[in-house]
CSV table of all heavy atoms in Angstrom, one decimal:
chain,number,residue,atom,x,y,z
B,857,ALA,N,-45.0,26.5,-10.5
B,857,ALA,CA,-45.7,25.6,-11.4
B,857,ALA,C,-45.0,24.3,-11.4
B,857,ALA,O,-45.6,23.2,-11.3
B,857,ALA,CB,-45.6,26.2,-12.9
B,858,GLU,N,-43.6,24.3,-11.4
B,858,GLU,CA,-42.9,23.0,-11.3
B,858,GLU,C,-43.2,22.3,-10.0
B,858,GLU,O,-43.3,21.1,-9.9
B,858,GLU,CB,-41.4,23.4,-11.4
B,858,GLU,CG,-40.4,22.1,-11.4
B,858,GLU,CD,-40.7,21.1,-12.5
B,858,GLU,OE1,-41.2,21.5,-13.5
B,858,GLU,OE2,-40.4,20.0,-12.2
B,859,GLY,N,-43.2,23.1,-8.9
B,859,GLY,CA,-43.6,22.5,-7.6
B,859,GLY,C,-44.9,21.8,-7.6
B,859,GLY,O,-45.0,20.7,-7.0
B,860,VAL,N,-45.9,22.4,-8.3
B,860,VAL,CA,-47.2,21.8,-8.3
B,860,VAL,C,-47.1,20.5,-9.0
B,860,VAL,O,-47.7,19.4,-8.7
B,860,VAL,CB,-48.2,22.7,-9.0
B,860,VAL,CG1,-49.5,22.0,-9.3
B,860,VAL,CG2,-48.5,23.9,-8.1
B,861,LYS,N,-46.3,20.5,-10.1
B,861,LYS,CA,-46.2,19.2,-10.9
B,861,LYS,C,-45.6,18.1,-10.0
B,861,LYS,O,-46.1,17.0,-10.1
B,861,LYS,CB,-45.2,19.5,-12.1
B,861,LYS,CG,-45.8,19.5,-13.4
B,861,LYS,CD,-44.9,19.9,-14.5
B,861,LYS,CE,-44.1,18.9,-15.1
B,861,LYS,NZ,-43.2,19.4,-16.3
B,862,VAL,N,-44.5,18.5,-9.3
B,862,VAL,CA,-43.9,17.5,-8.4
B,862,VAL,C,-44.9,17.0,-7.3
B,862,VAL,O,-45.1,15.8,-7.1
B,862,VAL,CB,-42.7,18.1,-7.7
B,862,VAL,CG1,-42.1,17.1,-6.6
B,862,VAL,CG2,-41.6,18.4,-8.7
B,863,ALA,N,-45.7,17.9,-6.8
B,863,ALA,CA,-46.7,17.6,-5.7
B,863,ALA,C,-47.7,16.7,-6.3
B,863,ALA,O,-48.1,15.7,-5.6
B,863,ALA,CB,-47.3,18.9,-5.2
B,864,LEU,N,-48.2,17.0,-7.5
B,864,LEU,CA,-49.3,16.1,-8.1
B,864,LEU,C,-48.8,14.7,-8.3
B,864,LEU,O,-49.5,13.7,-8.2
B,864,LEU,CB,-49.8,16.7,-9.4
B,864,LEU,CG,-50.7,17.9,-9.2
B,864,LEU,CD1,-51.0,18.6,-10.5
B,864,LEU,CD2,-52.0,17.5,-8.5
B,865,ASN,N,-47.5,14.6,-8.6
B,865,ASN,CA,-46.9,13.3,-8.8
B,865,ASN,C,-46.8,12.5,-7.5
B,865,ASN,O,-47.0,11.3,-7.5
B,865,ASN,CB,-45.5,13.4,-9.4
B,865,ASN,CG,-45.1,12.2,-10.2
B,865,ASN,OD1,-44.3,11.4,-9.6
B,865,ASN,ND2,-45.6,12.0,-11.4
B,866,ILE,N,-46.5,13.2,-6.5
B,866,ILE,CA,-46.4,12.5,-5.1
B,866,ILE,C,-47.8,12.1,-4.7
B,866,ILE,O,-48.0,11.0,-4.3
B,866,ILE,CB,-45.8,13.5,-4.1
B,866,ILE,CG1,-44.4,13.9,-4.4
B,866,ILE,CG2,-45.8,12.8,-2.7
B,866,ILE,CD1,-43.9,15.1,-3.6
B,867,VAL,N,-48.8,13.0,-4.9
B,867,VAL,CA,-50.2,12.7,-4.6
B,867,VAL,C,-50.7,11.5,-5.4
B,867,VAL,O,-51.3,10.6,-4.9
B,867,VAL,CB,-51.1,13.9,-4.8
B,867,VAL,CG1,-52.5,13.6,-4.8
B,867,VAL,CG2,-50.7,15.0,-3.8
B,868,ARG,N,-50.2,11.5,-6.7
B,868,ARG,CA,-50.6,10.3,-7.5
B,868,ARG,C,-50.1,9.0,-7.0
B,868,ARG,O,-50.9,8.0,-6.9
B,868,ARG,CB,-50.0,10.6,-8.9
B,868,ARG,CG,-50.1,9.4,-9.9
B,868,ARG,CD,-49.7,9.9,-11.3
B,868,ARG,NE,-49.4,8.7,-12.2
B,868,ARG,CZ,-50.3,7.9,-12.7
B,868,ARG,NH1,-51.6,8.1,-12.4
B,868,ARG,NH2,-50.0,6.9,-13.6
B,869,ARG,N,-48.8,9.0,-6.6
B,869,ARG,CA,-48.2,7.8,-6.1
B,869,ARG,C,-49.0,7.4,-4.8
B,869,ARG,O,-49.3,6.2,-4.6
B,869,ARG,CB,-46.8,8.0,-5.8
B,869,ARG,CG,-45.9,7.7,-7.0
B,869,ARG,CD,-44.7,8.7,-7.3
B,869,ARG,NE,-44.0,9.2,-6.1
B,869,ARG,CZ,-43.1,10.1,-6.1
B,869,ARG,NH1,-42.8,10.7,-7.3
B,869,ARG,NH2,-42.5,10.5,-5.0
B,870,HIS,N,-49.2,8.4,-3.9
B,870,HIS,CA,-49.8,8.1,-2.6
B,870,HIS,C,-51.2,7.4,-2.8
B,870,HIS,O,-51.5,6.5,-2.2
B,870,HIS,CB,-50.0,9.4,-1.9
B,870,HIS,CG,-50.6,9.2,-0.5
B,870,HIS,ND1,-49.8,9.0,0.7
B,870,HIS,CD2,-51.9,9.2,-0.1
B,870,HIS,CE1,-50.7,8.9,1.7
B,870,HIS,NE2,-51.9,9.0,1.2
B,871,ARG,N,-52.0,8.0,-3.7
B,871,ARG,CA,-53.4,7.6,-3.8
B,871,ARG,C,-53.5,6.2,-4.6
B,871,ARG,O,-54.3,5.4,-4.3
B,871,ARG,CB,-54.2,8.7,-4.5
B,871,ARG,CG,-54.3,9.9,-3.6
B,871,ARG,CD,-55.2,11.0,-4.0
B,871,ARG,NE,-55.2,12.1,-3.1
B,871,ARG,CZ,-55.6,13.3,-3.3
B,871,ARG,NH1,-56.1,13.7,-4.5
B,871,ARG,NH2,-55.6,14.2,-2.3
B,872,LEU,N,-52.5,6.0,-5.5
B,872,LEU,CA,-52.5,4.7,-6.2
B,872,LEU,C,-52.2,3.6,-5.2
B,872,LEU,O,-52.8,2.6,-5.2
B,872,LEU,CB,-51.5,4.7,-7.4
B,872,LEU,CG,-52.0,5.4,-8.6
B,872,LEU,CD1,-50.9,5.5,-9.6
B,872,LEU,CD2,-53.2,4.7,-9.2
B,873,TRP,N,-51.2,3.9,-4.4
B,873,TRP,CA,-50.8,2.9,-3.3
B,873,TRP,C,-52.0,2.7,-2.4
B,873,TRP,O,-52.3,1.6,-2.0
B,873,TRP,CB,-49.6,3.3,-2.6
B,873,TRP,CG,-48.3,3.0,-3.4
B,873,TRP,CD1,-47.4,3.9,-3.8
B,873,TRP,CD2,-47.8,1.7,-3.8
B,873,TRP,NE1,-46.3,3.3,-4.5
B,873,TRP,CE2,-46.6,1.9,-4.5
B,873,TRP,CE3,-48.3,0.4,-3.8
B,873,TRP,CZ2,-45.9,0.9,-5.1
B,873,TRP,CZ3,-47.6,-0.6,-4.4
B,873,TRP,CH2,-46.4,-0.4,-5.0
B,874,GLU,N,-52.7,3.7,-2.0
B,874,GLU,CA,-53.8,3.6,-1.1
B,874,GLU,C,-54.9,2.7,-1.8
B,874,GLU,O,-55.5,1.8,-1.1
B,874,GLU,CB,-54.5,5.0,-0.8
B,874,GLU,CG,-53.7,5.8,0.2
B,874,GLU,CD,-54.6,6.9,0.9
B,874,GLU,OE1,-55.6,7.3,0.3
B,874,GLU,OE2,-54.2,7.3,2.0
B,875,TYR,N,-55.1,2.9,-3.0
B,875,TYR,CA,-56.1,2.1,-3.8
B,875,TYR,C,-55.7,0.6,-3.7
B,875,TYR,O,-56.4,-0.3,-3.5
B,875,TYR,CB,-56.2,2.6,-5.2
B,875,TYR,CG,-57.4,2.0,-6.0
B,875,TYR,CD1,-58.6,2.7,-6.0
B,875,TYR,CD2,-57.3,0.8,-6.6
B,875,TYR,CE1,-59.7,2.1,-6.7
B,875,TYR,CE2,-58.3,0.2,-7.3
B,875,TYR,CZ,-59.5,0.9,-7.4
B,875,TYR,OH,-60.6,0.4,-8.0
B,876,PHE,N,-54.4,0.4,-4.1
B,876,PHE,CA,-53.8,-0.9,-4.0
B,876,PHE,C,-54.0,-1.6,-2.6
B,876,PHE,O,-54.5,-2.8,-2.6
B,876,PHE,CB,-52.3,-0.9,-4.4
B,876,PHE,CG,-51.6,-2.2,-4.1
B,876,PHE,CD1,-51.8,-3.2,-5.0
B,876,PHE,CD2,-50.8,-2.3,-3.1
B,876,PHE,CE1,-51.1,-4.5,-4.8
B,876,PHE,CE2,-50.1,-3.5,-2.9
B,876,PHE,CZ,-50.3,-4.6,-3.7
B,877,LEU,N,-53.7,-0.9,-1.6
B,877,LEU,CA,-53.8,-1.5,-0.2
B,877,LEU,C,-55.2,-1.8,0.1
B,877,LEU,O,-55.4,-2.9,0.7
B,877,LEU,CB,-53.2,-0.4,0.7
B,877,LEU,CG,-51.7,-0.2,0.6
B,877,LEU,CD1,-51.3,1.0,1.5
B,877,LEU,CD2,-50.9,-1.4,1.0
B,878,ALA,N,-56.2,-0.9,-0.3
B,878,ALA,CA,-57.5,-1.2,0.1
B,878,ALA,C,-58.1,-2.3,-0.8
B,878,ALA,O,-58.8,-3.2,-0.3
B,878,ALA,CB,-58.3,0.1,0.0
B,879,GLU,N,-57.9,-2.2,-2.1
B,879,GLU,CA,-58.6,-3.0,-3.1
B,879,GLU,C,-58.0,-4.4,-3.2
B,879,GLU,O,-58.7,-5.4,-3.2
B,879,GLU,CB,-58.5,-2.3,-4.4
B,879,GLU,CG,-59.6,-2.6,-5.4
B,879,GLU,CD,-61.0,-2.3,-4.8
B,879,GLU,OE1,-61.1,-1.2,-4.1
B,879,GLU,OE2,-61.9,-3.1,-5.1
B,880,LYS,N,-56.6,-4.5,-3.2
B,880,LYS,CA,-56.0,-5.7,-3.4
B,880,LYS,C,-55.6,-6.4,-2.1
B,880,LYS,O,-55.7,-7.6,-1.9
B,880,LYS,CB,-54.7,-5.5,-4.3
B,880,LYS,CG,-55.0,-4.9,-5.6
B,880,LYS,CD,-55.7,-5.9,-6.6
B,880,LYS,CE,-55.9,-5.3,-8.0
B,880,LYS,NZ,-56.6,-6.2,-8.8
B,881,LEU,N,-55.0,-5.6,-1.2
B,881,LEU,CA,-54.5,-6.3,0.1
B,881,LEU,C,-55.6,-6.2,1.2
B,881,LEU,O,-55.3,-6.7,2.3
B,881,LEU,CB,-53.2,-5.6,0.5
B,881,LEU,CG,-52.0,-5.7,-0.4
B,881,LEU,CD1,-50.7,-5.4,0.3
B,881,LEU,CD2,-51.9,-7.0,-1.1
B,882,LYS,N,-56.7,-5.7,0.9
B,882,LYS,CA,-57.8,-5.7,1.8
B,882,LYS,C,-57.6,-5.0,3.1
B,882,LYS,O,-58.1,-5.5,4.2
B,882,LYS,CB,-58.3,-7.1,2.1
B,882,LYS,CG,-58.6,-7.9,0.8
B,882,LYS,CD,-59.8,-7.3,0.0
B,882,LYS,CE,-60.0,-8.0,-1.3
B,882,LYS,NZ,-60.8,-7.3,-2.3
B,883,PHE,N,-56.8,-3.9,3.1
B,883,PHE,CA,-56.6,-3.1,4.3
B,883,PHE,C,-57.9,-2.3,4.6
B,883,PHE,O,-58.6,-1.9,3.6
B,883,PHE,CB,-55.4,-2.2,4.2
B,883,PHE,CG,-54.1,-2.8,4.5
B,883,PHE,CD1,-53.3,-3.4,3.5
B,883,PHE,CD2,-53.7,-3.0,5.8
B,883,PHE,CE1,-52.1,-4.0,3.9
B,883,PHE,CE2,-52.5,-3.6,6.2
B,883,PHE,CZ,-51.7,-4.0,5.2
B,884,GLU,N,-58.1,-2.0,5.8
B,884,GLU,CA,-59.2,-1.1,6.1
B,884,GLU,C,-58.8,0.3,5.8
B,884,GLU,O,-57.6,0.7,5.8
B,884,GLU,CB,-59.5,-1.1,7.7
B,884,GLU,CG,-59.9,-2.5,8.2
B,884,GLU,CD,-61.3,-2.9,7.6
B,884,GLU,OE1,-62.2,-2.0,7.4
B,884,GLU,OE2,-61.5,-4.1,7.4
B,885,TRP,N,-59.8,1.1,5.5
B,885,TRP,CA,-59.6,2.5,5.0
B,885,TRP,C,-58.8,3.4,6.0
B,885,TRP,O,-58.1,4.3,5.6
B,885,TRP,CB,-60.9,3.2,4.7
B,885,TRP,CG,-61.5,2.5,3.5
B,885,TRP,CD1,-61.0,1.6,2.7
B,885,TRP,CD2,-62.9,2.7,3.1
B,885,TRP,NE1,-61.9,1.2,1.7
B,885,TRP,CE2,-63.1,1.8,2.0
B,885,TRP,CE3,-64.0,3.4,3.6
B,885,TRP,CZ2,-64.3,1.7,1.3
B,885,TRP,CZ3,-65.2,3.4,2.9
B,885,TRP,CH2,-65.3,2.5,1.8
B,886,ASN,N,-58.8,3.1,7.2
B,886,ASN,CA,-58.1,3.9,8.2
B,886,ASN,C,-56.6,3.4,8.4
B,886,ASN,O,-55.9,4.1,9.0
B,886,ASN,CB,-58.8,3.8,9.6
B,886,ASN,CG,-59.0,2.5,10.1
B,886,ASN,OD1,-59.1,1.5,9.4
B,886,ASN,ND2,-59.1,2.3,11.4
B,887,GLU,N,-56.3,2.3,7.8
B,887,GLU,CA,-54.9,1.8,7.9
B,887,GLU,C,-54.1,2.3,6.7
B,887,GLU,O,-52.8,2.2,6.8
B,887,GLU,CB,-54.9,0.3,8.0
B,887,GLU,CG,-55.7,-0.3,9.1
B,887,GLU,CD,-55.7,-1.9,9.0
B,887,GLU,OE1,-56.3,-2.4,8.1
B,887,GLU,OE2,-55.0,-2.5,9.8
B,888,ILE,N,-54.6,2.6,5.6
B,888,ILE,CA,-53.9,2.7,4.4
B,888,ILE,C,-53.0,4.0,4.3
B,888,ILE,O,-52.0,3.9,3.6
B,888,ILE,CB,-54.9,2.6,3.1
B,888,ILE,CG1,-55.8,3.8,3.1
B,888,ILE,CG2,-55.5,1.3,3.1
B,888,ILE,CD1,-56.8,3.7,2.0
B,889,HIS,N,-53.5,5.0,4.9
B,889,HIS,CA,-52.8,6.3,4.8
B,889,HIS,C,-51.3,6.2,5.2
B,889,HIS,O,-50.4,6.6,4.5
B,889,HIS,CB,-53.5,7.4,5.5
B,889,HIS,CG,-52.8,8.7,5.3
B,889,HIS,ND1,-52.9,9.4,4.2
B,889,HIS,CD2,-52.1,9.5,6.2
B,889,HIS,CE1,-52.2,10.6,4.3
B,889,HIS,NE2,-51.7,10.6,5.5
B,890,VAL,N,-51.1,5.6,6.4
B,890,VAL,CA,-49.8,5.6,7.0
B,890,VAL,C,-48.9,4.7,6.1
B,890,VAL,O,-47.7,5.1,5.9
B,890,VAL,CB,-49.8,5.0,8.4
B,890,VAL,CG1,-48.5,4.8,9.0
B,890,VAL,CG2,-50.7,5.8,9.3
B,891,ILE,N,-49.3,3.6,5.6
B,891,ILE,CA,-48.5,2.8,4.8
B,891,ILE,C,-48.2,3.5,3.5
B,891,ILE,O,-47.1,3.4,2.9
B,891,ILE,CB,-49.1,1.4,4.5
B,891,ILE,CG1,-49.5,0.8,5.9
B,891,ILE,CG2,-48.2,0.5,3.7
B,891,ILE,CD1,-50.2,-0.6,5.8
B,892,ALA,N,-49.2,4.1,2.9
B,892,ALA,CA,-49.0,4.8,1.6
B,892,ALA,C,-48.0,6.0,1.7
B,892,ALA,O,-47.2,6.3,0.8
B,892,ALA,CB,-50.3,5.4,1.1
B,893,GLU,N,-47.9,6.5,2.9
B,893,GLU,CA,-46.8,7.6,3.2
B,893,GLU,C,-45.4,7.1,3.0
B,893,GLU,O,-44.6,7.8,2.6
B,893,GLU,CB,-47.0,8.1,4.6
B,893,GLU,CG,-48.2,8.7,5.0
B,893,GLU,CD,-48.2,10.3,5.0
B,893,GLU,OE1,-48.2,10.9,3.9
B,893,GLU,OE2,-48.0,10.8,6.1
B,894,GLU,N,-45.2,5.8,3.2
B,894,GLU,CA,-44.0,5.2,3.0
B,894,GLU,C,-43.8,4.9,1.5
B,894,GLU,O,-42.8,5.1,0.9
B,894,GLU,CB,-43.7,3.9,3.8
B,894,GLU,CG,-43.5,4.2,5.3
B,894,GLU,CD,-43.0,3.0,6.0
B,894,GLU,OE1,-41.8,2.5,5.7
B,894,GLU,OE2,-43.8,2.4,6.8
B,895,LEU,N,-44.8,4.2,1.0
B,895,LEU,CA,-44.7,3.7,-0.4
B,895,LEU,C,-44.6,4.8,-1.4
B,895,LEU,O,-44.0,4.7,-2.5
B,895,LEU,CB,-45.9,2.8,-0.7
B,895,LEU,CG,-45.9,1.5,-0.1
B,895,LEU,CD1,-47.3,0.8,-0.1
B,895,LEU,CD2,-44.9,0.5,-0.8
B,896,GLU,N,-45.1,6.0,-1.1
B,896,GLU,CA,-45.2,7.1,-2.1
B,896,GLU,C,-43.8,7.6,-2.5
B,896,GLU,O,-43.7,8.2,-3.5
B,896,GLU,CB,-46.1,8.3,-1.5
B,896,GLU,CG,-45.4,9.0,-0.5
B,896,GLU,CD,-46.2,10.1,0.3
B,896,GLU,OE1,-47.4,10.1,-0.1
B,896,GLU,OE2,-45.8,10.7,1.2
B,897,HIS,N,-42.9,7.3,-1.7
B,897,HIS,CA,-41.5,7.8,-2.0
B,897,HIS,C,-40.7,6.9,-2.9
B,897,HIS,O,-39.6,7.2,-3.3
B,897,HIS,CB,-40.8,8.1,-0.7
B,897,HIS,CG,-41.4,9.2,0.2
B,897,HIS,ND1,-41.6,10.4,-0.2
B,897,HIS,CD2,-42.0,9.1,1.4
B,897,HIS,CE1,-42.3,11.1,0.7
B,897,HIS,NE2,-42.6,10.3,1.7
B,898,VAL,N,-41.3,5.7,-3.2
B,898,VAL,CA,-40.6,4.9,-4.2
B,898,VAL,C,-41.1,5.4,-5.5
B,898,VAL,O,-42.3,5.4,-5.9
B,898,VAL,CB,-41.1,3.4,-4.0
B,898,VAL,CG1,-40.6,2.6,-5.1
B,898,VAL,CG2,-40.7,2.9,-2.6
Side-chain angles (χ1 to χ4, degrees):
Chain B
E858 181 60 24
V860 170
K861 251 172 85 177
V862 174
L864 285 171
N865 203 259
I866 301 165
V867 168
R868 170 169 165 75
R869 273 140 39 188
H870 182 94
R871 293 183 181 165
L872 282 174
W873 282 119
E874 283 202 338
Y875 191 95
F876 169 75
L877 293 170
E879 205 60 33
K880 301 290 185 182
L881 300 198
K882 307 298 178 196
F883 275 98
E884 298 297 324
W885 294 345
N886 56 334
E887 302 176 287
I888 62 183
H889 182 72
V890 177
I891 305 179
E893 297 259 79
E894 285 194 71
L895 286 164
E896 72 189 2
H897 300 295
V898 177

